[in-house]
Each structure stands twice: as structure tokens, then as C-alpha cells.
Amino acid sequence: MEILVYRKGIPKIQENFTAADLPELLKDQSALIWVDMEKPGAADERVLLDTFQFHPLTVEDCRENRHYPKVEEFEDYLYFIVHGVTADISPERFNTIELDGFLGPNYVITYHHEMFRSINNVKQQLRTTPVACQRGPAFLLHQILDQVVDFYSPVLDDFDDRIDQLEDDIFTLKRPNNEILSEIMDLKRSVLRLRRISGKQMDILHRMSRGEFGLIPEDMRPFYRDVYDHLVRVVDLAESYRDLISGSLEAYLSVVSNRLNEIMKVLTIFSAVMLPLTFIAGVYGMNFENMPELHSRYGYYAAWGIMIIVAVAMLLFFKRRGWIGGSSKEETPDI
Amino acid sequence: MEILVYRKGIPKIQENFTAADLPELLKDQSALIWVDMEKPGAADERVLLDTFQFHPLTVEDCRENRHYPKVEEFEDYLYFIVHGVTADISPERFNTIELDGFLGPNYVITYHHEMFRSINNVKQQLRTTPVACQRGPAFLLHQILDQVVDFYSPVLDDFDDRIDQLEDDIFTLKRPNNEILSEIMDLKRSVLRLRRISGKQMDILHRMSRGEFGLIPEDMRPFYRDVYDHLVRVVDLAESYRDLISGSLEAYLSVVSNRLNEIMKVLTIFSAVMLPLTFIAGVYGMNFENMPELHSRYGYYAAWGIMIIVAVAMLLFFKRRGWIGGSSKEETPDI
Amino acid sequence: MEILVYRKGIPKIQENFTAADLPELLKDQSALIWVDMEKPGAADERVLLDTFQFHPLTVEDCRENRHYPKVEEFEDYLYFIVHGVTADISPERFNTIELDGFLGPNYVITYHHEMFRSINNVKQQLRTTPVACQRGPAFLLHQILDQVVDFYSPVLDDFDDRIDQLEDDIFTLKRPNNEILSEIMDLKRSVLRLRRISGKQMDILHRMSRGEFGLIPEDMRPFYRDVYDHLVRVVDLAESYRDLISGSLEAYLSVVSNRLNEIMKVLTIFSAVMLPLTFIAGVYGMNFENMPELHSRYGYYAAWGIMIIVAVAMLLFFKRRGWIGGSSKEETPDI
Amino acid sequence: MEILVYRKGIPKIQENFTAADLPELLKDQSALIWVDMEKPGAADERVLLDTFQFHPLTVEDCRENRHYPKVEEFEDYLYFIVHGVTADISPERFNTIELDGFLGPNYVITYHHEMFRSINNVKQQLRTTPVACQRGPAFLLHQILDQVVDFYSPVLDDFDDRIDQLEDDIFTLKRPNNEILSEIMDLKRSVLRLRRISGKQMDILHRMSRGEFGLIPEDMRPFYRDVYDHLVRVVDLAESYRDLISGSLEAYLSVVSNRLNEIMKVLTIFSAVMLPLTFIAGVYGMNFENMPELHSRYGYYAAWGIMIIVAVAMLLFFKRRGWIGGSSKEETPDI
Amino acid sequence: MEILVYRKGIPKIQENFTAADLPELLKDQSALIWVDMEKPGAADERVLLDTFQFHPLTVEDCRENRHYPKVEEFEDYLYFIVHGVTADISPERFNTIELDGFLGPNYVITYHHEMFRSINNVKQQLRTTPVACQRGPAFLLHQILDQVVDFYSPVLDDFDDRIDQLEDDIFTLKRPNNEILSEIMDLKRSVLRLRRISGKQMDILHRMSRGEFGLIPEDMRPFYRDVYDHLVRVVDLAESYRDLISGSLEAYLSVVSNRLNEIMKVLTIFSAVMLPLTFIAGVYGMNFENMPELHSRYGYYAAWGIMIIVAVAMLLFFKRRGWIGGSSKEETPDI
């Protein structure tokens, strides 16, 4: 548990307090106390229950992973759950980490089981200049939420890149295989998660910015609306990505279909050219005694002639149907 | 019918009452009476109609399976239907059991045709300590609903495992067959049922937690909101599962498509290599008298040479098109 | 036109009135008059317009088939259209019949072009005991609507059976043919109609049960809510059926796809085994003078040996790919 | 510009007025003036702007095709755009024509660039009897809208017929070709347009019938509600048609799929029967010196015997798999 | 930064002011000042922050590209973001440019990083006649927004043309290839973007036109409603286009399917005709000593006869199945 205290008239953030100092600190209505609990234990929970006297259900909510953002108003504090994104953007799945917190008249409490980059950033800023604290706990909370939401951007950029890459892969595709399919499915799932999690946070910021909670004063609302606008854009992008990925899947299926057509065309052209020739050769391989052609001097050459005519006729037939490209000399279908 | 009575100042739950004691018990406004009717009969129904004077339509609703959660407010009691999940998680279908109940000013009635694990758990707790009763009937009802909803978790975990298993099966699939398809369909149906049933219960808990009913006092609302939050997460998970299963079906269909492509490629490569060779052999099987090649000393070897050249040319042609993998010596398509 | 009259203190329903008696009967505010018009003619319409002075547009609505349930409030009466189901559950399409009606302060009018089983049932009940009439016209109307909705149940059960049958047909399918497809389409259409018609009736009953209309008194609302609940369940089932049928269609398409794969596998295996063998036979059918093998004593047997080796190699190749089942001796693909 | 005037106490509609008479006519609050502008020019627009002093934007809306129904209330008039259907039901696309209009305290103005059958009908009626005018401008407008909506019915019937025809074509389909597909697409597009255009008009009639506009008095509302009900049915039918057409497309795709299966079965059966026979013939066409069978007296007949046995075995194999129908003598697959 | 000033009684727009004149100009409540910032720099931002004292967050919003239209009300000004379309309609993607702006009691500020044709148009108009300025800043803003939205029309027409072209390509399609697919995907994406961006702007204009903002007076609302109506039509068209493109994709997939069927038919007909003939030739190529037919004088001709009969029988078989068109002499399938 780390405690940062800002007091009017003191130009520096004070640190190095312990849980025992909290009751005293909280009495100073003009101070601003930020209690950050990283990887909290039973002692931290006792502080929440005894010193701050939060509702036992909210403390239970803190302890467990809820996977579901929310904000609840109690008589003199707000309880919220929001989600940040993890630093390592795994190629497989988009991951979130949970941030629980409380906002009171002169304190902000943050509670998280994992390291939060955005929280460390805000602390660093405060140590440089406590200016964010001068505007009260609602502004400090806004700073934290703003940082949390800012870390969504690289994730979105990464999605952008991967979808672009995917579309290239689909159309230039040398080998239609299950890898592409599997990547489409993974991306789709990640985008759906992103859409869900950011959509819910958007709702929460909307409630915070429209003046529903007394603890967030009127003049703070534009700042919360700014975070809300950011989340609106995240949700909007997530929806675009979902559409793009659906389009990719459709494109992939169509490319596979086109490829099947191509394969079948090759097979059909080969069969249709070769089968009649083999038949003609078979005819003159028959052992009938009385086959006048066999005894003709130019019979063999005539047979070759017929075979070449048949082959060319077949190729022309397929060329006329558009199955063979510009040059009728090669059996290369044009797709 | 089992009757549990808690009276102020008595540290233990009293049991062993019969239906005949109910009128007397109900007169004590400070007591809390829980009537649990498991596999109820006509006598139990009479109690509901005569002693409690519930609306005949609600008693009829109790008797029949309604498959549809609801809550209705009457002048001095609440009637509700909720659904729990059965203990045995059948691999085929997700099953629910119905719990009817009434909440009055000093009583809770639960009515169910099948054994309910959650209700037995709550009874067991009360026998140990009647602490839940001290806070009144709304708290006792919350305890019961909380237990009912807690039993959804193993079902959700089971879905999670089965969907993961399914996705592995689809991609590593040696044999695309109707079994996988049939399992996808079963899972989809179960998840849709779970989504539907939990969505409706969520609505009911929402109404209970937002203070719509006078019988659930203000200070009980956070507890009902907690159950509501739990159901929100269940619904949310059910929706994720639905998306995942839809994705699985799409993946399955694509894998089957890819496999068809693979089969057709093998067929095409075989045909395209073999048909020209057979044709060449056919040519030299013709019986023309005048075929100079036949009399040439190395004609036979030349024929083999031509055939090998044709075969290699074909394989190179397919290799260039990307139908054959790294080694052009084997006719192994690369998928 | 059939007129049933209940008067306070008279233990039996009175019948055998004619249209001419209506003005007199209607004056008695304490009586309850039910006018049932089955296959009505111009005379009946005149009664509606002149005796009851209903709005001409509603009488026109009565005359024509509207296919659309509705309820409209006028100054001193309610006009409604609801739909019942026909007795014969045609295997092809789900059919409905229209019931128009009016509810006034002391009368109920039902108007229908076809025989209505539910109306006959209610009449029969009233002739036995007029108890339903003692509670006023709103209760009588509730009885009629309740009966109309009760007749939906066999239709729903029939859908259930047919969908189950269909799913069996799809998976055990010996012959994928257009019959199954056609049945899926018919079922889908019927379920969509059921969903639409019951959804609209649900809205109407909802409006009736929430106290929107003064002619349906407060104490009647639980009864209308009961019919409403019934319709909610019908709608809910119809939605499940729609999901099930969509699933069936997807399953059917996949089964057809799987079958195509199976067919192509058989073709590919046959071709891949037979083409090389035919080629080898073709080689030794060539007529070159100098073909040492032909003169070898065991040449013929060696050729057979080669051919058997090639065939076995092919079968092993397909077995390794999983195209041929447990026993490699038979060319039976495993699907 | 055609001006029809009805004056209290005069049993006939007066015509033959010009734009110059309008200011005088409008002063008579008890008169009812209908100005119908068919293929209007600049002079007509001047009348709208100067005599009636309508908002310039509405006059601009009149002049241009807006493809979007709307109703707007101004201080003392209503402006509306609705759409009628053209008389010729083109087989390709469903077409609409735009009707703009104004409703004032004692006038109705209709403005349209093309001939409107419904407007001509109403005029004809008025010339016979001015009864519709006695009830004021709102009733006259209702008459016009009612006629406009009535002309939707033949279009709907035409859709009905074409969808029925289409479904027959799909299932009895001798030739699966792009014509059917193209017709499905055309129908789908037309139905979507009908759904969109009638949906928007429904909204407008809904606003008119619920008493939102002071110019439509209370007692006119049932008449507007009647037109609204008609549009509700049109929308409902359009939605059914959309579902039916989606079903048709699915059916068409499945029929094409089934046909592919059928084609492949024929190919596979032919190949599987013929390839082994050709191979056997090839074997005995080899030129090995030492082939005992060739010298056997009944060798040839034995070869035929083997070939017939192989062919029958193949046919039985496919019959057992259900690929060949009742009679195994013919190679007719059973689909 | 360009500053245009209109002052009561002065018939010309005054220009050539600098940022330094702004404080003085703004004091004249009866003047109308338009500040247009094209490709603005730090100095422009300072003016916004210092002279106009806009909220820092809105100035930050100006500076960055937000891709998301919005309107926000502050105490004495409105801040908005809308999007115009770029002049060059790239064949690949539909592009938008962002216009930020402020509306105050006597000023309009426009802020954009790229050249805006619509803004230049409005300036040109004002220089000709300042009539638009006489009606106040809200009217001037309406003029700008109206021009911005007017530039959507050529984009919509372009979509129309390209979709028409696409549908022709699909059905007359000589070569089903990935180009068409790729174009469908591009169009779909552009239409989705258009739908999204115009939908959001529609919401903003709706809020502006319904009197939510005090800075837009009552008598300006019809003008804003006109722009709103225009956007409603854009959104409506975008939705039609989306439906059309979805239909195109379905059509394309079906055309590809039909083509596969056609290819398979050709293959099947060829194989089924050629394989039996080859088999017959193979039979008489066997070298059995005792083959009576071989020694018959007309054996060879009889063999030809049999082969022709078999070929004709096959062709008749496929003709009866409808696989071959009117003339059975050619092997042209009828699709």
C-alpha cells in the first residue's frame, strides 16, 4: 500500500505514510489522499473495511476478478471497476487487467492485483508537480482514467496493422490454409472482447460525465466527457474492426471458393483433352484383323493429325468459354 | 413441507412445526418463517390458498412448469419464479429446474418439484447459525437466490472447457464428420437456452434491486444488486459463448471447405500426371503397320524418356502454382 | 347470431333471444349479454351499426380479414382483433382464424367467419354454470381469450415433434434431397408466422393487463396478465423454434457439404489407384520391337507385382492422410 | 393547377377558378378549397410562396424529388411528403411517385410531378357527391391518403404471386441458372424498398393519428388510424416477403449444392465402374510373351466374366451407400 | 487565419483584419465575425485560448483528428466537429476531412487542417452579397453546414454508378476472379464508413434543429431541419447501398457456385462419354488368342457401331437430365 498526500500550501507530494496514519490524514478535509494498493493482501482489505468502512460487498468485488466494469454510488463514496490493457500485446489474445477503486470527498483509492503502467505514470507526474492534486480528488481520478484509456491506442494500432496484413495474405494467398482461418478467428474474438469491455466502460464514463454523481463536480465534467469521447472512439474503431474482420472472413471463403473453381477447371481441361486422345489411340490399338486404316501407309500420321485436331478443338472450346486466357497455346487457366 | 422459524432472542432455528401451526406463527410479526415445499402435493396447495390466501392464478403457476422466470407484486406479498441448474451437467443439453416462491412481511415460501441443492445449503447454514434470519425475510430470500445463481458457475466452466475442446478438434481434425457438427449444434442450443433463462432472471433481479418492491427494503438493495451483477456476468459470458460457437461453426465449415480443396488438388494432380502418360503408352500401343518409332532400337527407351519428361513437367507446373510443397519429388500437396 | 344473457339472481343462462330484443336487454345495466356472431351476414352488421352504434370503420374491420391483431378504445367500448389457430394442423402451413369482438359495460360481442372451438367451449361451460358471468363482461372476455390461447399448445407441441424428427432426418440422412430442404423452409415460414401473430397478441394482452382500458377493472388484471404470460411463453417458444430451425438449416448444409467431401474422396481414391495401374498396363501394351521385359519369362508376373505394389502404396498414402478408415484392405472412406 | 371549392349549402363542387381567385376564396373560413397541382411550373410555385406564404424550404422540397416521406408542422399549416406506387408494375423494380401537399385550416394542396390515379379517383368522387368535403379538410386529406395507400394492394399481390412462382421454379428447377438468382435479387431489392418507404409513411400516419397536429381534429383520428392500420399491414407483409425471399435464396443455394452433389455422384459412379474395367482390358492388352491366360481357350470369356463381376460389385457398393436408387440395374442416382 | 466582418448598414463584407483586431471587433454585439482558420498553427490556437477563452480540451480536440462528429454546449458558445468529403473520389476508399468550429453570440469560427471547398464557396458568396450575414451567426453556420453536406451528393452518385457497374460485372462475368471480390469488399467498407459518419452527423443536426441549443434561435430551426433532412436521405441511401452490396456479394458467391456446377457438368459429360468408349477399345485391344470378334470381317465396323451407340446413349441420358441444352449434337451444357 502506497499513500500519497497533497496538502494545501505544500509544494510537494508527501509520501511514506502507513495505514496507521490514515484516520488522522482523512480528518483534514482540505488534503487529498491517494491510497494505491498493488497486489493487496488481507491487511489492505482490513483498511478498506475498518478505516474507510466500505460496504463488504464492494470489498469482495475488489478481491475477485469481475471481468465487468461498473460504477456504484454509496452515501459518501463511489466504487468503480474499470479495465486497462496489458503491456504485452500477445499475438493471440487481447488481454485486460482490472482496476478497482473508490472516490471519496478527499481521497482516491486504487486497488489492482497487477502492476498498472498508467498508475505509475500518474504517480511519476505527481512527484514532479502536484498540480493535478490542486483540483481535488475528481481531477486526480480523471488523470488516472485518462491514462488507463490512453493505453488502448497501441492495441488499436496493432489491430489495424494485423487486419491490413491479413487482407494482404488473403488476396495474395499462395496457400489457402487453416492458419489464416485460425488467425481470423483469433482476431475476431479479440475485437469482440475489446468491443464489449470498452462499451461497458463507455457507459460508466458517460454516467460520470453527465453529472449523475455528486462527488464529481460540475467543472470536472468536461474532463470526464473527454475520456468518454476517447472511449466512444475506441468503441467505434472496435466496431469498424469487427466489420473489417467479418469482411475478411467472407473474402477468405470466396478466395477458397475461387481456388476450387480454378482447380476444377484445370482438372476438366486436362481430362477433356486427354480422354478423347487416349480413346483414339485405343481404337487403333484394337486387334481386329480387318482394319483398313492400319495398313494404310500414312495411317499413323493421319491418326496423329486427328489427335492434334481434337486437342486443338478442345482447347478452342475452352478458350471460347473463357476458361483459358489470352494464349490458346498453353493450358493455363486465367485466374 | 418443512417449516423453519426464527424468533428474536432465540439463538437457534426452530423446526418441527406443521401446517396447522402456521396461522399462529404468522401472527408474530417479529418472527421469520420459512416454508419450504419440496415435491409438494394437494395439501401444500391448500395451505397456500387458505392460510396464506395467495391469488389462485399464482398457485396454478406454482403447480405447472412455466419455463419462464417472472416476479409479480401483490398487495402484501411478492410471487416469483426463478430457475436453477441441475447438478448433473449432461453432455447433451443444459437443464434447468424451476423454483417458485413467495416473499411476505415475515415469511419466505419456496416451492419446487425437484430437490434443490442451493436450498439445502441455505438450510444447513441456518441450522449452524441463524444470522441470515436476523436481517429479515428479504435477506433470507437473497441468500437463497445467491446460492441458486452460484450454481451457474460450474455450468459456465463446463461450457468453457467444451468450447476449447471443440476448437482443438476442428483445427487438428483428422476426420471432418457429423459428430463435430452435431456437438456444435448441441452446444449452441444449450448456450441459447442459458442466455435466455439467465437474461430473464437478470431482469427480475434488476427490478428487485432497484427498489421497485416495498417488501425489499432500501438497505437490502446492495445485496440484490450483487446477485444481479452475478447474473449480468452470466449473461455476458453466455453471449461470449454464443459468439465463440458461431465462430466455431464458421471455422468448421471453412475447414471442411479447405479439405475439399485438398482432395480436389490430389485428384487433379494425379489425373493430370497420369492421363498424358497413359495417352503416350496408348499411342505406341497402336497397331499401324507403318510406325517408324516402333522399329527404332531405342524407341522404347525414348518413350520412357518422353513420359518421364511429361510427368516432371506436370509436377513442375503444379509446383509453380503452389499446389505442391517444398519437395517436387513427391506428389504431396502442401496443405 | 346467438345471444346468451345472464341476469343477477337467475341461476341459468337465458338464450333464445333475437336481435330485436337487444335494445331492451342492453338497458339492464346489471345483466351480461354475450352476442356471438358466427359467419355473420348483413343483418348482423346492421345490429352492430344501429343497435350498438359502433364506429363504421370497426365494423368494416370486422367484415374483412385483417391478419393483424389490434385493440382500440372508443368512448364506451373496446374493439379488438385476435387470432386463434385452426383445428387441423396442416403439415404444410400453420393457419390462423380471426376473431373480432367488442367489450362494453354490460356486453361482449364476438364476431368470426369460421367456427371457433374455444368459443363453443366457453358457451358449453356457461350453460353448465354461469359462474363466469357473475364477475362481469371483462371476466367473460378473459375466459374466451384464455381458451383461444390454450389452443396454441397442441400447435407448439406439433412444431416440437416435427423439429425433432427433422434433426434426426438430417443426421441419419441416407439421401440428402430437396424434400428435407423444402420441409425446413415450410417449418421456418410457419414458425415466423406464429412468432409474428403471437407477438402482436402479446402486445394487446399486455395493454389489457396493465390497466390501460377503463372497461377492464383493476381486479380483472391478474387474469389478463395470466393470458399475457401464456402468450409470452408462446412467443418465447416460437423464438426457440426459430433458432432451432436456423440451426437445422445450417446442419443440413453442413451435412450436404460433408457428403460432397465423401463423394470426392471416393472418386479421388478410385482414380488415384486405377490411373497408375492402367498406365502400367498401357506401357506393356506398346508395340516396340525392342522391349526386353516383354521377352522375359516372368515379365508378366513382375508387371502384376509392380501394379500391386503401386495399388498398395496408393492405399497406404490415403490411409496415412486419414481418408481411409481402420482397415486398409477395403477402400471404404471412414465418414 | 386545378381548384375545387366546396361551400356550405351548395350541393355541388365548384370548379373553374384560377390562381387569381385564391386570395378571395381563402377568406371564406367555412369553404373548403382543394388546389391540385399536377406537373406544376414556376407559376404554381409563386402561388405557394406568395398566396399561401409557405416556408421557402418546403416549396423547394416540393420542387425536388426527396425519396423520403415526412410531415412537418408550421404555425398554421402542415407540410407532408408521401409516396404512391406507379400503375405499371414493372417486373424489374418496384417504383414510387412522390406526392407533396399542404393541409391548412380551410384548404388542401396536392403537388405532384406525375399523374396520380388516387387523386383522380377522389376528384371523380367529389364531382359525384361532395359529401367528403362536408367534414372538412382533414377528412378530404384522409380520403386522398386512403386512396394512395389502397393502390399498394395490387403491388403486394404481385409480390405474392412472384414469390410463389419463384419457389416453384427453385424446387422443380431443371436448370439452375443465373436467371433465377437475378430474379431473387431484384425481388429482394424491391421488397426492401417497399419496406423502407411504407415504414416511413407508417410513422407519418402514426403521428397524424395520435393527435400530434392541431389541424387534424379529434374526431378525424379514427380515420387516420385506419390508414395507419393499412400501412401497418403493408409493412408487415413486406417483412414477411423479405423473410420469404431470404428463405428462397437459401433454398436456391441449397438446391444448387444438392445438384453439385448429384453431378459428382454421377461422375464418381461412372469413373469407379469404368476405370477398373479399362484397367483389366489394359492388362490383357499387354504384349508379354509369357501370359498363360492369353492362350487359354476361354480366357477371353473369363476376362468378360471378371469385368462384369467387378462392374456389378461397384454398383452394389454404391447401392449399399445409398447413392443408387431402388433398382441396381440402372446407374441412376436417386436424387 | 482569415477574418470576415459584417456590420449592420455596411453593404460589403470587411476583410483584412488580424488577430489583434479581434477583441475590439467582438465588443460590437451587432457585428458578425467569421474567423476561418485553414491549416492553423500555434498562433491560431493562442487566439482560441486567450481571445475567445475556449475550454482547453476543445482546443485540443481541434488540433487532433477525432474521426468522430460531435457537438458540445458551453456557457456562451457551441463547439462542433463535422466531416466533409474530399474532392477526389478515390476509387479505393471514401475519404473524409474534419471541420471543427465554434458558434458564439456574434461570431462563427471554422478550423480545418485541409482546404475545404464548401467554406471557400460560402466565402465567395459572402463577398458577392452579405445577405447570409444579416440573419446572424446561426444562419451563417447553417450556410456552411449546408454546403458541407451538399458535397456528399457526388459521392453518393459515384457509389450508385459503381454498384450498378459491379452488378453487371457479376452477371455477365466471363472470369470470376478475386478482382471483383476485392472491389465488393472495398465498396462495402466505404459504404459502412459513409453510413457511420453521416449517421453521427445526422444526430448532431437533429440536436441542433430541435432547439436544444440557445444559440440557434427558433426561426433558424427550419433551416437546420433542412440540413438534417438532407443527412437523413444520405443515411438512407447509405443503408440502401449496404443492402445492395450485401446482395452483390451473395450474387457473386452464387454465380461462382453456378460456374462450379457448370465446370463439373462438362467434366462429368466428357468422362462419362469417353470412359466407356475407351473401355470398349481396350477390350478389343486384348491379346487373347481366342477372340472370335477379331476375326470377323465386320468386327471393326461393329465395334465402331457399338461405340457410337454408347456415346449417343450417354448424351441422351444427360439430355434427359437437363444437363445438355436444346441440341443434343453438341456437348454444350446449357448454362
Side-chain angles (χ1 to χ4, degrees), chain D residues 32-46:
Chain D
L32 169 53
I33 300 133
W34 176 12
V35 184
D36 178 46
M37 299 178 172
E38 189 171 317
K39 303 190 186 94
D44 298 287
E45 270 185 36
R46 287 256 56 86

Side-chain angles (χ1 to χ4, degrees), chain A residues 167 225 229 232-233 236 240 243-244 250 254 258 261 264 287 289-293 321 334, chain E residues 66 68 70 72 178 188-189 196 200 252-253 260 262 264 284-287 294-295 297 300-301:
Chain A
E167 299 204 335
R225 202 158 55 179
D229 281 349
V232 166
R233 288 193 299 272
D236 195 50
S240 310
D243 288 345
L244 287 177
E250 283 171 348
S254 300
N258 281 342
N261 265 5
M264 296 314 301
N287 295 320
E289 270 174 15
N290 180 15
M291 284 177 73
E293 297 98 318
R321 302 199 136 219
D334 72 294
Chain E
R66 289 309 194 193
Y68 201 87
K70 69 172 176 182
E72 277 183 73
N178 293 340
K188 196 178 167 183
R189 200 175 306 163
R196 194 171 283 131
K200 286 176 215 143
Y252 169 73
L253 293 174
L260 183 62
E262 180 195 4
M264 295 315 300
Y284 294 107
M286 292 195 292
N287 294 322
L294 294 183
H295 309 295
R297 187 155 176 192
Y300 177 53
Y301 305 105

Side-chain angles (χ1 to χ4, degrees), chain C residues 45 49 56 58-65 79 100 111 113:
Chain C
E45 270 185 35
L49 287 168
T58 65
V59 177
E60 199 189 313
D61 273 353
C62 280
R63 192 171 48 238
E64 314 222 341
N65 254 322
Y79 169 63
D100 295 81
Y111 181 108
H113 296 282

